Amino acid sequence: MSRGMSKRRTTNTAPAARESEATTFGDYTSSSRGSSKPNAMDQAIIEKIKDHPCFSREAHLYFARMHLAVAPACNIQCNYCNRKYDCANESRPGVASNRLTPDQAVRRAMAVASEVPQLSVVGIAGPGDACYDWKMTKATLIAIAREIPDIKLCVSTNGLALPEHVDELVDMNVGHVTITINMVDPKIGTKIYPWIFYDGRRYNGIDASRILHERQMLGLEMLTERGILTKVNSVMIPGVNDEHLIEVNKWVNDRGAFMHNVTPLISERSHGTFYGLNRQRCPAPLELNALRDRLEGATKVVRHCRQCRADAVGLLSDDRASEFTLGQLPAEATYDSGKRHAYRQLIEHERRGQTSETTDATIAVSLARSNATLFIAVTTKGGGRINELGQAKELQIFSVCQKGIGLIGHLKLDPYCLGGWGEETTLNSIIEALEGIDFLLCFQIGIIPRNKLARRGVQATSAYGNAYLEQAIDALYTAYLSRGGFSGAS
Ligand code: CLF
Ligand code: SF4
């Protein structure tokens, strides 16, 4: 059981440890993190995060966000950004399909809120900067609050123009803000930001980074003083700020950040960014995971972020933006809350079941007298169950050991029908991507993919189809230990 850990495909993170190595988990649903358990958390905070898919790992199983791409202008230049590729603060590189006016944005939001029952949050995350393009952001948020009053509002920003808008954010009932903070040392900032535009003039070099840093810290302090939950996103740039993010974590923790979300730099030559053109390398999954492990403890560390687009719609694992382009929207804007309300009633029961099973499962693995760590990939279409029937677009990767069961990341796939026949080359690329994974749990799997996976050391099974993820992982871990190691899976 000592296969290599490399991943050749896009992945958020990857297995970091093997037998007896400690694995830490960043979500409050894990049993292993004393101070971050829900019962240690203020009830008001639980209310704020329980249906926000980004601020709670558990919520991302059930709830969806939508982004409204109303803010194209930006006041800084990041070396990882080329504007035609969207805002890397909160998205993977890719042009937002539509840059919307506030009126168009509200029409889109009303259509999505009527049709996507999981929708709980509307966010503005670019494609430029929401606080710099404030007129557009403000007009949109006010209209959304008026037309869809039961939705959460969320904003993402680079922080430079944040301080002057904090009180308006409070007035507009924006409950969640994300600031992208990549440095607290302006010298390091000079390697990330060539210039900023502030107070009517352009600043370069160390002055630019110093001003940006001061404004980011001020904005963070103002938000936390006013009770707005604030998440800090940081882009991990190897050789530039990777080690420095430990210091960033301390600063933002001291200033009340609720979560720290370290995302990997996405940089390709074709993006035309400074880093892309200069071949700045991106972090390997192992590096990213190791850094996240080092940050665990003080601030909750996010591991379920999908670096989504500025016009994303849907569950984090199932983007539905293409169903709601401007051309597809009804001419008359209407909002019907029926589907969302019905879903919430249904999901309450489901969540109680999932929470109870998760608690039981984490207790069970903690009682296992073993130092084995397994890495397990699961297919799910949401709801916290192994229930993906059709083509899996991503796998969630968990580790399980005596310390608990923890999500460590996700792995994007070219869709392949694991249940039956599919394209050979796609299957081969999935198998390569699964290197280092011990088990694959899916709803159904055909004999061909199962045998191919087995030959590469990945045991695939549909024996836990429709079970809750943690329940299935616990059962598999227990079976693994009772057998004394690997044997055939069915
Ligand atoms: Fe959007 Fe960001 Fe609000 Fe979420 S995204 S503005 S906090 S509603 Fe979420 Fe997307 Fe990751 Fe951002 S998965 S990129 S963390
Ligand atoms: Fe690009 Fe966002 Fe940076 Fe502005 S803040 S340069 S839009 S990544």
Side-chain angles (χ1 to χ4, degrees):
M1 203 181 71
S2 58
R3 298 187 304 276
M5 289 289 137
S6 68
K7 291 246 173 297
R8 291 175 210 164
R9 295 173 54 75
T10 308
T11 174
N12 188 8
T13 186
R18 274 298 181 194
E19 303 275 352
S20 79
E21 287 182 35
T23 304
T24 53
F25 308 126
D27 193 79
Y28 72 92
T29 56
S30 168
S31 69
S32 60
R33 306 210 59 78
S35 64
S36 54
K37 287 179 187 174
N39 58 9
M41 215 185 263
D42 189 290
Q43 189 60 35
I45 293 180
I46 293 175
E47 286 302 315
K48 280 189 171 184
I49 67 170
K50 70 177 190 184
D51 56 0
H52 194 305
C54 307
F55 281 70
S56 156
R57 185 194 78 80
E58 192 248 352
H60 103 282
L61 302 170
Y62 302 104
F63 290 102
R65 51 62 182 118
M66 84 172 294
H67 286 167
L68 296 169
V70 293
C74 190
N75 49 356
I76 70 174
Q77 179 62 56
C78 305
N79 279 335
Y80 47 74
C81 176
N82 176 349
R83 200 61 45 75
K84 76 174 178 169
Y85 275 101
D86 203 3
C87 177
N89 275 344
E90 286 284 339
S91 64
R92 64 183 164 77
V95 183
S97 304
N98 297 293
R99 293 180 182 185
L100 306 175
T101 65
D103 284 347
Q104 291 170 330
V106 175
R107 265 177 64 212
R108 188 170 193 240
M110 289 166 81
V112 171
S114 301
E115 287 304 316
V116 177
Q118 302 98 334
L119 187 74
S120 63
V121 182
V122 169
I124 300 184
D129 186 73
C131 287
Y132 180 59
D133 221 338
W134 182 246
K135 231 172 109 182
M136 301 291 276
T137 298
K138 183 176 176 181
T140 305
L141 290 173
I142 287 173
I144 296 287
R146 183 184 62 234
E147 300 296 340
I148 318 174
D150 58 345
I151 207 86
K152 281 187 179 352
L153 300 176
C154 196
V155 161
S156 168
T157 175
N158 62 44
L160 182 61
L162 171 63
E164 59 256 37
H165 300 304
V166 166
D167 287 328
E168 288 171 282
L169 290 168
V170 174
D171 291 345
M172 289 190 294
N173 209 20
V174 173
H176 303 76
V177 170
T178 295
I179 314 173
T180 297
I181 300 178
N182 296 321
M183 56 86 201
V184 291
D185 178 349
K187 283 201 292 299
I188 291 176
T190 60
K191 300 177 195 166
I192 305 171
Y193 307 105
W195 57 260
I196 66 165
F197 188 78
Y198 174 64
D199 214 12
R201 60 167 282 209
R202 182 173 157 137
Y203 292 83
N204 301 308
I206 197 131
D207 288 342
S209 291
R210 183 182 43 75
I211 294 168
L212 179 62
H213 164 59
E214 288 168 3
R215 302 285 294 170
Q216 288 176 333
M217 294 303 118
L218 177 62
L220 173 57
E221 286 166 8
M222 291 175 74
L223 288 169
T224 53
E225 270 168 20
R226 288 158 179 76
I228 295 185
L229 279 193
T230 307
K231 171 166 65 65
V232 168
N233 281 8
S234 299
V235 180
M236 180 183 181
I237 310 161
V240 175
N241 72 347
D242 42 355
E243 279 299 312
H244 181 59
L245 289 179
I246 305 283
E247 188 66 16
V248 172
N249 181 265
K250 287 189 190 125
W251 278 66
V252 303
N253 185 49
D254 287 348
R255 285 158 183 77
F258 180 69
M259 307 182 100
H260 196 182
N261 178 23
V262 177
T263 60
L265 172 72
I266 300 173
S267 173
E268 290 177 19
R269 201 171 169 75
S270 60
H271 299 161
T273 62
F274 176 85
Y275 284 152
L277 296 173
N278 287 282
R279 301 186 186 280
Q280 166 64 49
R281 81 171 177 87
C282 304
L286 280 176
E287 289 176 284
L288 176 64
N289 204 43
L291 178 60
R292 287 172 170 169
D293 280 350
R294 288 170 71 192
L295 299 180
E296 289 282 10
T299 312
K300 272 174 275 304
V301 172
V302 179
R303 292 174 191 257
H304 62 282
C305 172
R306 302 302 202 276
Q307 294 176 277
C308 42
R309 298 170 55 95
D311 57 2
V313 172
L315 293 168
L316 301 191
S317 57
D318 184 20
D319 199 87
R320 297 181 58 183
S322 62
E323 297 171 40
F324 299 96
T325 59
L326 273 184
Q328 292 166 298
L329 301 183
E332 283 295 310
T334 52
Y335 167 48
D336 177 355
S337 62
K339 286 186 182 169
R340 290 181 60 236
H341 285 156
Y343 176 78
R344 279 182 178 257
Q345 282 171 3
L346 187 77
I347 219 62
E348 276 310 311
H349 174 72
E350 184 69 9
R351 287 182 91 175
R352 274 197 293 276
Q354 203 252 359
T355 304
S356 149
E357 290 296 344
T358 300
T359 305
D360 290 352
T362 46
I363 290 170
V365 297
S366 71
L367 294 175
R369 297 202 176 279
S370 168
N371 59 6
T373 299
L374 294 181
F375 295 102
I376 298 172
V378 301
T379 60
T380 177
K381 63 177 182 188
R385 290 180 184 268
I386 296 167
N387 54 5
E388 176 55 75
L389 275 167
Q391 295 195 322
K393 293 182 200 152
E394 70 166 34
L395 298 171
Q396 295 196 9
I397 310 295
F398 285 82
S399 66
V400 53
C401 66
Q402 201 175 4
K403 293 184 102 179
I405 299 168
L407 175 73
I408 57 172
H410 64 277
L411 183 61
K412 288 182 182 155
L413 302 175
D414 291 336
Y416 177 88
C417 187
L418 285 164
W421 298 93
E423 199 203 326
E424 182 83 3
T425 50
T426 307
L427 176 60
N428 288 341
S429 68
I430 292 173
I431 290 170
E432 279 196 21
L434 283 171
E435 188 172 346
I437 299 295
D438 300 306
F439 288 94
L440 169 65
L441 307 186
C442 42
F443 188 84
Q444 56 185 9
I445 184 154
I447 192 80
I448 291 174
R450 185 162 63 193
N451 288 345
K452 278 196 155 197
L453 283 161
R455 284 198 288 278
R456 294 292 290 266
V458 182
Q459 298 193 43
T461 176
S462 57
Y464 306 99
N466 215 35
Y468 291 112
L469 304 182
E470 284 84 355
Q471 179 188 31
I473 291 166
D474 166 41
L476 183 134
Y477 189 63
T478 305
Y480 168 86
L481 295 180
S482 69
R483 286 196 307 261
F486 285 101
S487 69
S490 58

